[in-house]
Amino acid sequence: MSNIVRIPVKAEESKPKKRNVYVQSASDVKRLLNNTINELRNGEIDSKSANSIGYLANILLKVFETEEVIQKVKALEEKFTLITDHSRP
């Protein structure tokens, strides 16, 4: 049993953990996409990840647009209610 050779296993290099990104507006999406493009060009992320981020960013933009439309409709409904309430005898 003296023929056993131990080969040290090289520990995988751990990638630095990225901090979470909080996207709450269209300008945040723009910043996220700019960072993603730069990371992709620098080889920091793969194209599949960049594609996923782009896809999800597009969904977020649609959500922001929908929220904006909903807020505008609510504001118009409130104005309409005020107008119709004042016009009643």
Side-chain angles (χ1 to χ4, degrees):
M1 289 279 178
S2 63
N3 296 343
I4 297 177
V5 177
R6 296 185 183 252
I7 302 172
V9 177
K10 185 177 180 181
E12 290 185 34
E13 294 179 26
S14 61
K15 296 179 182 177
K17 189 171 183 175
K18 299 221 178 230
R19 56 192 171 103
N20 291 335
V21 177
Y22 298 99
V23 182
Q24 298 178 353
S25 67
S27 61
D28 291 343
V29 171
K30 181 180 175 182
R31 188 176 310 112
L32 171 64
L33 291 176
N34 282 330
N35 289 338
T36 302
I37 290 167
N38 290 330
E39 289 173 348
L40 179 63
R41 293 183 74 195
N42 294 330
E44 297 171 20
I45 62 172
D46 60 292
S47 60
K48 185 176 179 181
S49 296
N51 189 39
S52 296
I53 292 169
Y55 176 78
L56 294 171
N58 189 40
I59 293 172
L60 281 171
L61 285 174
K62 289 178 184 177
V63 168
F64 297 144
E65 290 171 2
T66 303
E67 286 178 342
E68 184 179 347
V69 169
I70 289 171
Q71 289 174 354
K72 289 179 179 180
V73 168
K74 284 182 181 180
L76 288 172
E77 286 174 341
E78 289 174 9
K79 288 180 182 180
F80 181 75
T81 302
L82 288 173
I83 293 170
T84 56
D85 287 347
H86 289 298
S87 66
R88 291 185 184 166

